Amino acid sequence: MEKKSGNGNLRKANKAKNDEFYTQLSDIEKELGHYKQHFKGKTIFCNCDDPEESNFWKYFELNFEYLGIKKLVSTHFEDEKPSYKLEIIGDRNHDGKINKLDIVKTPLKQNGDFRSPECIEILKESDIVITNPPFSLFREYVAQLMEYDKKFITLGNMNAITYKEIFKLIKENKLWSGYGFNLSLVFKSPYENSLEANLKFCEQKGYFGKNYIKTPAISWFTNLEIQKRHEDLILYKSYNETEYPKYDNYDGINVDKVKEIPFDYCGNIGVPITFLGVYNPEQFEILDLSRYLETKGMSQEFVDAYYKSGQTGAISEGHPDLCYYDKNNKPIVPYMRIIIKNKKVNP
DNA sequence: TATTCTCGCCCTTTACCTAG
DNA sequence: CTAGGTAAAGGGCGAGAATA
């Protein structure tokens, strides 16, 4: 079977250092509908935007009065020339409604990069920053939000969870998953989609044409209070040694599916990273990510058994990844795990 | 009514890339 | 060349539809 990666679309985007992906209005509505109470009287800044094209801008323009927004600002990015900003402050022409006529366009001296001093000045004046940033700059983007202590709602790749800096923020409860987590979203983009199955998916969603690209593993991230973050994950399985093997090189048990976290285990538990989508800090504590964990390292015995079983991963004695023997005694090196503890179980 | 099928959504992890 | 990092494809599953 053809096993060639279909990552062509993103690779192209990555090479061109130009991740222009326009989020669909329906996807924005689905997420932002959960944050209504946060917008009243606030200055909203979309700092990675093409306001002519952006549905973030459109969403807030359309809902300006309904949400009771104080001010809407958006900056546009140009590669190498001065750009501009758009603002809506209120019913400028006093015609009783907020619409295009109330938009004020002002030239910028710089190119509208979210890191430019000019944009940082606007950032300082803003309350909530909302956009779909270039994923290749996700780290920098979030770092800047933290530096200026801003509230935000942003899109990112689910795997950003595993970036060292981002994981640290998650652990410290300074950033969490929004409602939409691990989604496959269709974006409009300047890049041509050359993948047949991908195009088909877009068409099924009602987006026709080569400039629509389905991108999997997309998540919303925020530091605004949302109800979801306070809802307990309902647990229905009780702990037993067969189904939840202990790691061979670390004091903790392995869980392959988030829903199957045992409700009665008080020690350390390794879960897939999709756990973040249901994380409630009142229910669980996040301790670590397996990538950054100091395990005892794999034993020679485990490594031998692993290769004897026909597996071909690159491991050797002392390898730091988690490992265990499953119920059939097969040596397993699981994918990345978040190490958690159930706060509601007493030792 | 029982069984199979389909389709979409959710969840997991593997293949590729690059820096050292 | 290797190890670590990262991006998105693939697998699984369940609800509802279709079929026996």
Side-chain angles (χ1 to χ4, degrees):
Chain A
M1 197 184 119
E2 170 85 338
K3 203 62 193 169
K4 190 105 177 76
S5 151
N7 298 3
N9 286 322
L10 236 151
R11 302 242 169 275
K12 236 186 285 169
N14 208 7
K15 276 218 175 72
K17 285 269 176 270
N18 188 1
D19 0 31
E20 254 178 286
F21 288 88
Y22 299 113
T23 318
Q24 300 301 314
L25 186 58
S26 59
D27 294 324
I28 293 172
E29 284 169 340
K30 232 184 244 173
E31 180 71 18
L32 296 192
H34 295 287
Y35 300 78
K36 180 171 185 281
Q37 73 275 17
H38 292 294
F39 299 141
K40 192 159 194 245
K42 296 291 165 58
T43 297
I44 311 281
F45 183 24
C46 307
N47 60 351
C48 294
D49 234 359
D50 182 349
E52 316 286 340
E53 183 85 42
S54 163
N55 288 310
F56 282 97
W57 173 269
K58 194 185 257 174
Y59 178 84
F60 286 112
E61 181 192 314
L62 290 171
N63 293 294
F64 194 93
E65 289 166 290
Y66 172 68
L67 295 170
I69 292 168
K70 181 176 154 201
K71 182 176 175 181
L72 175 62
V73 193
S74 171
T75 46
H76 170 61
F77 172 74
E78 290 284 354
D79 251 346
E80 295 189 339
K81 58 176 185 184
S83 185
Y84 62 90
K85 67 172 175 181
L86 295 189
E87 286 169 302
I88 297 180
I89 297 168
D91 186 11
R92 192 168 68 118
N93 62 353
H94 305 289
D95 64 354
K97 48 188 186 285
I98 301 289
N99 56 28
K100 298 233 174 306
L101 302 172
D102 300 305
I103 299 173
V104 181
K105 185 171 178 175
T106 317
L108 294 173
K109 293 192 185 70
Q110 291 146 0
N111 70 347
D113 186 312
F114 69 88
R115 298 161 291 187
S116 65
E118 224 171 2
C119 286
I120 289 177
E121 284 312 308
I122 301 171
L123 177 71
K124 285 182 188 168
E125 303 298 315
S126 311
D127 299 307
I128 308 177
V129 184
I130 303 170
T131 199
N132 178 8
F135 285 13
S136 63
L137 298 175
F138 191 77
R139 284 188 177 88
E140 270 183 83
Y141 185 75
V142 171
Q144 182 174 302
L145 292 171
M146 290 297 152
E147 186 183 345
Y148 292 95
D149 196 21
K150 291 299 163 186
K151 295 292 179 193
F152 63 86
I153 305 170
T154 178
L155 284 159
N157 186 280
M158 174 182 72
N159 295 297
I161 296 169
T162 64
Y163 300 174
K164 208 174 228 155
E165 309 81 3
I166 304 294
F167 186 74
K168 185 164 172 277
L169 296 174
I170 290 170
K171 210 176 127 184
E172 293 169 354
N173 286 313
K174 290 181 179 168
L175 174 154
W176 46 86
S177 137
Y179 277 81
F181 182 77
N182 195 12
L183 310 164
S184 286
L185 296 187
V186 174
F187 295 100
K188 192 179 174 194
S189 158
Y191 309 105
E192 273 206 3
N193 187 348
S194 53
L195 300 174
E196 209 175 307
N198 194 308
L199 280 168
K200 208 177 133 203
F201 181 92
C202 299
E203 284 176 12
Q204 279 163 1
K205 294 277 175 180
Y207 302 112
F208 297 89
K210 295 225 169 218
N211 289 110
Y212 288 102
I213 298 177
K214 166 208 177 190
T215 313
I218 301 295
S219 296
W220 290 91
F221 296 103
T222 186
N223 60 352
L224 285 168
E225 260 314 315
I226 45 174
Q227 183 51 36
K228 179 190 172 192
R229 185 171 159 73
H230 301 288
E231 283 163 6
D232 273 7
L233 176 66
I234 307 296
L235 304 174
Y236 66 96
K237 291 195 83 160
S238 87
Y239 170 71
N240 66 78
E241 290 186 1
T242 326
E243 278 184 277
Y244 301 101
K246 279 218 158 67
Y247 294 117
D248 204 39
N249 53 354
Y250 177 74
D251 184 14
I253 60 167
N254 182 68
V255 172
D256 282 326
K257 290 183 180 158
V258 169
K259 277 193 264 183
E260 295 182 356
I261 296 168
F263 57 74
D264 53 359
Y265 189 80
C266 69
N268 295 0
I269 307 172
V271 294
I273 63 169
T274 48
F275 169 78
L276 196 71
V278 299
Y279 172 47
N280 165 4
E282 288 129 36
Q283 184 180 22
F284 295 105
E285 183 185 356
I286 292 182
L287 301 173
D288 221 320
L289 191 66
S290 60
R291 173 182 286 175
Y292 309 122
L293 206 59
E294 298 214 355
T295 68
K296 280 186 286 189
M298 291 179 192
S299 64
Q300 190 62 54
E301 188 195 347
F302 180 89
V303 175
D304 291 345
Y306 175 86
Y307 286 118
K308 208 175 156 199
S309 73
Q311 300 181 77
T312 58
I315 58 166
S316 55
E317 192 190 353
H319 187 91
D321 277 356
L322 293 169
C323 66
Y324 65 93
Y325 294 93
D326 74 5
K327 57 188 168 195
N328 303 316
N329 215 29
K330 184 183 173 192
I332 306 280
V333 179
Y335 194 64
M336 215 174 316
R337 290 288 184 260
I338 296 179
I339 307 296
I340 60 166
K341 213 170 192 158
N342 190 332
K343 283 186 171 179
K344 302 195 172 178
V345 183
N346 296 316

